[in-house]
Amino acid sequence: MDLIINLVINGLATGMLIFLLASGLTLIFGLMSVLNFAHGGLFIWGAFTGVWAYQTSGSFTLGIGVAIVTGLVLGVITEKLIVRPVYGNHIQQILITLGFMLVLQEFIKVVFGPNQKAVFPPAFLEGSFIVGDIVFIKYRIFIIIVGLLVFMVASYILRRTRIGLIVRAGVMDKEMIQTLGVNIKVIFMSVFMIGSALAALSGMLHAPYSGVIYAEMGLEFSILAFIVVVIGGMGSFTGSMLAALLVGLAQAFMAYYFPALSLAVNMILMTIVLIFKPQGLFKVEGGAR
Amino acid sequence: MNIQNLEKSTWFYLCITLLLFILPMVITERSLQFIIIQIFIFGIFAMSYDLLLGYTGIISFGHVIFFGLGAYTTGIALDRLGATIGSLVIGAFIGVLLAAFVSLLVGMLTLRLKSHFYAMLTLALSGLFLVAAEKWRPMTGGNDGFTFRLPDIIREPNHLYILCLIFFVLIFFGLRRLTNSPFGKVLMAIRENENRTTSLGYKVVYYKVIASIVSGVVASLAGVLYALSLRFVNTGVFATDLTIDVLLMTIIGGVGTLIGPIIGAGLVELAHHWLSSLADVHWIFERWIILYGTLYILVVIFFPLGIIGTIRSKLAGRNK
C-alpha cells in the first residue's frame, strides 16, 4: 500500500511537469495550428537559467522567477524570429522549429558547459514527512500543488475572463474572431509567451526532482509532451491535464515494475488512441484538424 | 526502350555514373575514397527522405529508425552468422522487411491525419528505438556498439566502393523513374493540394502509405551500406543528429529534386570532414550543430527551394 501510494504521488508529480510543458504546446497548436518542436528547448533553458540563479543566490524562489523570465523572453524571440516568418506554411514551421530546438540545445552546452549538473531541492522542501505510516516526499507534493494551482488559474482565465473567451473562440475558429475585430496576433503572442513560461517553469521544477539536468533532457521530455498532446486531443487544455496525469502514472508504475518498457507503454497508449480516437480523447469542437 | 528517346538529362547522369566508376582508379587515397562512399550512402538516405518531404509533403523526424534497422540487422547477421555473403543477404533482407513493416504501421496510423502526427510519432518512435538499442545490450552492445568482419569479397575498399556505387545508381534511377511515373505525379498532387487530389478520386492515404514504405525501404538499404562501410554499429545510428543531417542535406540541396539531396549529402559530408579538423582552431567548430542548425533555419526562411530548386526556378524564369 505504502509503495502504491508513493508510486501514485511520483506519477502525479511527473504528470504535472509534463502538463506544464504540454499545456502551452496544445494551446499554441489549437490557436495557430503551429506545432512548436522548439518547446523542449524552452524547458531546458528554464531549467539551466533557473538553476544557475538558484545556486548562485541560494534563493529557490528567485530561481523560479528567473526561469519564468527566461521563458517569456525566449517565447518572444521564438515567435518573432522563428514562427512568424513561416506562418501559414506547416511544413516549414515543423522543420524550422526543430532546427531551433537543436540550436537551443547546443547553446546550453556553450553557455553552461557540456556536463550534467547536480541540483538539490531547497532546504524548506527537502526531506519528507509522515502521515499515518506513509512517507511523503515534500518536493513531490510541492510539484503537485504548483501544477494544480497553474491548472486552476489557467482554467479560471480560460473560462471566466474575456481574454480566455477570445482564446477559446480562437481555438475554435480564428478567422471568425478576426472579423469581430480581435487582433489575433497579439493574442497569439501572449499565449506563446505564457506557454513558453510554463515550459521554462516545468524545466526549473524538474531540476531538483530528477536531481540532474543535462541538455538532451529537453528533447526526451518533449517527446512525452507530444504523446500527451496527441492523447489529450490537440488544442484541448483540460485534455492535456488528464492525459499528462495518465502518462505520468503509466511512466511511474512501469518504471518501477518494468523499467525497460516505460517509454514503450506510453507509445502503446498513444498508438491505441490514434487507432480508435485519432482526434484525441478530448477533441475540441471545430478546432484545428 | 528506344535509345534515341532518352532525355538529355539521362545522358548527363549516365556520363556522371561512368565517371564515378572510373574514379577509384584516379583517387587511390583511402580516406578520400571513404568520404566518397559516405556521400553515396548519405545520398541514398537523403533521396529516400526527399521522396517523403519533397515529393509527398510528409515530414519524418525519425527517418533514422529505418536507417538504424538496416545497419543493426546487417551488423548482427554478419557478427552472429559468420562473415559470408549469405549472412549479409539475410541481414539486409531482414532489415528491409522490418523497415517496410514499421513504415507501413506508422503510415497506417498517422497518415490519415495532419502532417504533425507523422512527425511526432516518428520522433517518439526513434526515441523508443534508441532506448531499445541501448537497453538490449546482449544483442546490440549498447552505446559501445560492436565491430564485425566483412565477407572476403567486399573487404577490398575498391569492391565496397563499387557495391555502394551500384546501389546508389540503381536507387537514383529507380526513384527518378518512380517520381516521373503517374504514381509520382499523384504524390506531387498530394503535396500541392491534398483535398483536391482526394476529390479527383485518388485514395490519398494509400499513395502516402506506399511512399512511406518505399522511403523506409530505401533508407534501410542506406543503413545496410553504412554498417558495411564502418564495420561497426552502435546506437549512433538511431541518434537525432543523423535526422538533422539528412534534413539539412535534403533542404540545402533542394526538396523535391532528387539530385539536390545528393549534392546536399556531398556538401554536408565534406563539411563534417572539414569542420572536425577545424575544431582545434576555435571551440565553436566543436559545437557544429549550432552552425548547422542556424544554417538550416536560414535556409528554410530565405532559401526554401534549396540549391537545385533555386537554379531550376531561375532557369525556368529565363525560358519564359
Side-chain angles (χ1 to χ4, degrees):
Chain A
M1 198 55 212
D2 199 23
L3 172 71
I4 296 198
I5 288 181
N6 262 316
L7 283 178
V8 168
I9 288 176
N10 221 341
L12 290 179
T14 314
M16 288 300 177
L17 291 176
I18 304 173
F19 158 72
L20 290 178
L21 193 60
S23 57
L25 209 57
T26 203
L27 278 181
I28 292 168
F29 179 83
L31 201 59
M32 258 10 190
S33 48
V34 172
L35 190 58
N36 184 12
F37 275 89
H39 219 63
L42 305 166
F43 177 85
I44 36 174
W45 271 92
F48 272 83
T49 53
V51 164
W52 173 79
Y54 163 45
Q55 287 181 342
T56 41
S57 72
S59 159
F60 189 65
T61 331
L62 183 74
I64 289 184
V66 168
I68 289 176
V69 171
T70 310
L72 291 173
V73 171
L74 277 178
V76 175
I77 295 175
T78 316
E79 208 273 340
K80 286 228 156 156
L81 250 60
I82 301 299
V83 177
R84 198 166 284 178
V86 290
Y87 172 61
N89 185 331
H90 285 267
I91 290 183
Q92 287 194 346
Q93 275 169 359
I94 297 179
L95 293 175
I96 202 168
T97 50
L98 185 80
F100 193 56
M101 163 80 219
L102 291 160
V103 171
L104 284 176
Q105 177 179 317
E106 287 303 303
F107 254 109
I108 283 279
K109 294 182 193 165
V110 172
V111 178
F112 298 96
N115 301 324
Q116 53 182 32
K117 286 192 186 332
V119 186
F120 301 102
F124 67 100
L125 290 172
E126 210 159 17
S128 50
F129 58 91
I130 299 169
V131 177
D133 47 358
I134 299 161
V135 180
F136 291 98
I137 293 172
K138 276 188 197 166
Y139 193 74
R140 292 182 188 163
I141 304 290
F142 169 71
I143 289 180
I144 296 175
I145 292 170
V146 172
L148 275 177
L149 273 178
V150 169
F151 177 71
M152 288 193 303
V153 170
S155 300
Y156 177 80
I157 294 174
L158 277 174
R159 281 176 211 286
R160 293 273 181 270
T161 63
R162 193 179 137 71
I163 300 287
L165 185 70
I166 293 172
V167 171
R168 277 187 296 138
V171 170
M172 277 187 177
D173 192 336
K174 57 177 170 290
E175 281 84 16
M176 198 61 203
I177 73 159
Q178 273 173 295
T179 62
L180 294 173
V182 174
N183 187 349
I184 193 95
K185 275 193 180 155
V186 176
I187 299 292
F188 181 51
M189 177 65 122
S190 359
V191 170
F192 208 102
M193 281 170 68
I194 293 167
S196 308
L198 288 181
L201 173 66
S202 170
M204 176 61 201
L205 293 177
H206 180 260
Y209 176 58
S210 73
V212 286
I213 49 176
Y214 49 96
E216 282 82 11
M217 73 181 187
L219 202 60
E220 288 166 17
F221 224 70
S222 57
I223 287 180
L224 286 178
F226 289 137
I227 294 177
V228 162
V229 170
V230 172
I231 293 178
M234 285 189 170
S236 164
F237 185 74
T238 320
S240 73
M241 176 64 161
L242 293 171
L245 294 184
L246 184 68
V247 167
L249 286 172
Q251 182 91 351
F253 275 86
M254 290 311 269
Y256 185 80
Y257 289 107
F258 310 98
L261 291 178
S262 57
L263 182 59
V265 72
N266 285 318
M267 290 293 296
I268 293 166
L269 266 176
M270 174 159 95
T271 311
I272 293 170
V273 170
L274 278 177
I275 294 173
F276 295 106
K277 287 200 85 162
Q279 302 296 340
L281 296 178
F282 299 86
K283 186 187 162 198
V284 183
E285 281 307 321
R289 277 160 297 270
Chain B
M1 186 165 65
N2 194 333
I3 288 265
Q4 276 123 25
N5 285 349
L6 281 178
E7 280 178 50
K8 242 192 251 165
S9 56
T10 311
W11 282 112
F12 176 69
Y13 293 136
L14 284 174
C15 289
I16 300 264
T17 308
L18 199 65
L19 277 181
L20 287 175
F21 269 104
I22 303 170
L23 201 61
M25 291 163 208
V26 185
I27 297 173
T28 44
E29 202 186 327
R30 283 285 159 82
S31 62
L32 210 54
Q33 273 193 6
F34 180 74
I35 293 174
I36 300 173
I37 290 178
Q38 294 296 307
I39 293 175
F40 290 154
I41 292 168
F42 280 96
I44 296 175
F45 192 25
M47 280 192 283
S48 80
Y49 199 81
D50 196 28
L51 182 70
L52 279 189
L53 177 65
Y55 285 93
T56 326
I58 302 171
I59 301 174
S60 160
F61 282 154
H63 221 51
V64 280
I65 299 167
F66 313 118
F67 188 78
L69 278 175
Y72 264 114
T73 52
T74 310
I76 289 169
L78 283 175
D79 190 36
R80 298 291 157 97
L81 304 176
T84 61
I85 288 291
S87 47
L88 169 60
V89 172
I90 292 173
F93 184 70
I94 295 175
V96 165
L97 222 58
L98 278 177
F101 176 70
V102 173
S103 53
L104 172 74
L105 205 68
V106 177
M108 297 262 272
L109 279 176
T110 54
L111 289 176
R112 295 172 290 165
L113 306 158
K114 266 193 162 179
S115 45
H116 307 110
F117 285 91
Y118 194 83
M120 279 194 297
L121 189 64
T122 47
L123 181 65
L125 204 59
S126 70
L128 186 64
F129 271 91
L130 182 62
V131 172
E134 250 159 37
K135 292 276 156 73
W136 200 13
R137 279 189 166 268
M139 202 59 161
T140 62
N143 195 24
D144 302 331
F146 61 93
T147 53
F148 53 88
R149 282 157 51 86
L150 292 184
D152 287 330
I153 304 175
I154 52 171
R155 203 170 292 157
E156 176 74 24
N158 275 348
H159 292 183
L160 188 64
Y161 178 94
I162 298 293
L163 179 77
C164 291
L165 179 58
I166 289 172
F167 267 95
F168 175 69
V169 169
L170 284 180
I171 286 170
F172 172 69
F173 280 105
L175 285 179
R176 190 163 168 267
R177 182 76 193 83
L178 182 76
T179 48
N180 284 330
S181 69
F183 179 82
K185 299 289 177 219
V186 177
L187 293 187
M188 282 185 253
I190 292 172
R191 176 192 67 192
E192 294 303 325
N193 193 334
E194 192 168 334
N195 293 338
R196 192 172 289 178
T197 317
T198 315
S199 68
L200 285 171
Y202 291 103
K203 286 201 177 94
V204 167
V205 176
Y206 166 82
Y207 281 91
K208 280 175 157 183
V209 170
I210 299 277
S212 154
I213 294 174
V214 173
S215 171
V217 166
V218 173
S220 71
L221 287 175
V224 170
L225 296 175
Y226 184 72
L228 291 182
S229 74
L230 290 187
R231 305 178 191 192
F232 169 75
V233 188
N234 75 346
T235 50
V237 293
F238 283 129
T240 329
D241 298 8
L242 270 182
T243 303
I244 191 80
D245 270 2
V246 74
L247 258 167
L248 196 70
M249 290 169 187
T250 315
I251 287 173
I252 286 186
V255 289
T257 57
L258 219 52
I259 192 82
I262 298 172
I263 290 172
L267 288 176
V268 171
E269 276 304 311
L270 288 175
H272 263 301
H273 183 68
W274 185 61
L275 285 180
S276 57
S277 59
L278 273 181
D280 321 329
V281 182
H282 194 274
W283 58 267
I284 191 94
F285 294 109
E286 228 166 293
R287 304 257 81 89
W288 51 267
I289 292 187
I290 294 183
L291 298 177
Y292 275 22
T294 316
L295 179 66
Y296 163 84
I297 291 170
L298 293 177
V299 169
V300 171
I301 294 183
F302 297 109
F303 207 42
L305 292 174
I307 295 172
I308 296 295
T310 311
I311 293 174
R312 279 196 187 162
S313 73
K314 285 260 159 66
L315 284 180
R318 197 190 295 161
N319 289 345
K320 267 173 202 166

